[in-house]
Amino acid sequence: MDIRAGGISRDETRTNLVKVAAQLLHEQGAAAVTTRAVAQAAGVQAPTIYRLFGDKDELLDAVAEHVFAVYVADKALTRDSGDPVADLRAGWDTHLGFGLANAALFGLLTDPGRSTRSPAAAAGLEVLRARVHRVAAIGRLRVAERRAVELIHAAGTGAVLTLLAMAPQDRELDLADAMYDAVMQTILTDAPALAEDGTTAAAVAFRTVVPKLPMLTDAERALLSEWLDRATHL
């Protein structure tokens, strides 16, 4: 179905509007993303936006989803270095860089009303969970995987928002480094065999392989997982 002259389809028009709005958001901020400005930049009439998105908020949702989905896809394709702890730090640095480079978009992504229904945000968390899982598998976590993911996610979001609240010339990036170090001290052991809480680290590591134990029934795997969850204070 064509919605404008020249044979441009509905999906193509929608995609173009999202890209135009994303550029306005990045260059001028959320206030610049008006239906009139987007329509003019995209070469369509304003009613087209209402037909495709309903209102400005839905357009902004689509923009946030598009840009963040591209970012998450790139993160997911990043090859592991072979050092899960180093990969965790690299992910933190990438997250920080993305947030600071996309201030207006990051504000949309951290809006609880939007993030809870965002497939891209959910995919981003899955990337983080996978990285934390690899750290757990080598015996370096002193807390449960879920707890580690929650702490890293909360710290990363808070660090970016705090820095964005500062004037660019006043931002102290070592604040984010200090936040990361504090979280790592909470969730990581020094080494699998030497840590004071090696028992917990071993339980967390063993928990990562339970779903892959073919000699156990589903009920036995569930019971073993429950015991290990208790050991890691879930």
Side-chain angles (χ1 to χ4, degrees):
M1 175 183 176
D2 291 344
I3 62 172
R4 50 180 298 214
I8 299 177
S9 71
R10 179 186 182 92
D11 286 345
E12 289 172 330
T13 301
R14 191 180 193 280
T15 298
N16 185 49
L17 285 167
V18 168
K19 290 180 178 178
V20 168
Q23 185 174 355
L24 284 172
L25 181 69
H26 178 71
E27 294 177 352
Q28 302 179 41
V33 186
T34 64
T35 53
R36 181 176 181 179
V38 173
Q40 182 176 2
V44 302
Q45 298 298 315
T48 300
I49 295 178
Y50 293 108
R51 287 199 297 271
L52 293 175
F53 299 98
D55 58 24
K56 176 184 172 180
D57 283 344
E58 289 191 25
L59 173 59
L60 286 172
D61 282 344
V63 169
E65 193 68 19
H66 167 74
V67 177
F68 197 56
V70 172
Y71 162 66
V72 170
D74 288 342
K75 281 182 66 177
L77 291 175
T78 302
R79 183 171 299 179
D80 298 340
S81 70
D83 182 344
V85 175
D87 290 340
L88 198 60
R89 177 60 198 242
W92 171 277
D93 290 340
T94 300
H95 174 78
L96 188 73
F98 174 83
L100 294 180
N102 297 273
L105 177 64
F106 197 82
L108 294 177
L109 292 169
T110 52
D111 180 341
R114 286 190 168 93
S115 62
T116 55
R117 63 177 186 268
S118 166
L125 274 176
E126 282 305 311
V127 173
L128 175 58
R129 289 190 186 101
R131 290 184 175 177
V132 169
H133 181 77
R134 291 194 290 272
V135 173
I138 62 171
R140 291 294 307 276
L141 278 189
R142 71 168 82 233
V143 299
E145 289 182 55
R146 185 179 70 185
R147 181 69 168 175
V149 168
E150 290 169 346
L151 286 169
I152 295 169
H153 179 65
T157 300
V160 173
L161 290 176
T162 299
L163 290 172
L164 288 176
M166 303 175 183
Q169 67 273 16
D170 296 331
R171 289 174 187 163
E172 299 179 1
L173 296 182
D174 60 346
L175 181 150
D177 293 336
M179 178 71 78
Y180 182 81
D181 291 342
V183 172
M184 291 304 107
Q185 288 176 12
T186 299
I187 71 172
L188 292 183
T189 63
D190 292 332
L194 301 177
E196 292 180 3
D197 49 354
T199 301
T200 300
V204 173
F206 187 44
R207 179 68 172 79
T208 67
V209 302
V210 170
K212 305 173 186 177
L213 298 176
M215 73 291 295
L216 301 180
T217 66
D218 289 344
E220 289 169 336
R221 281 192 289 269
L223 182 58
L224 181 55
S225 295
E226 181 182 347
W227 288 341
L228 290 169
D229 287 345
R230 290 181 188 176
T232 55
H233 307 291
L234 268 178

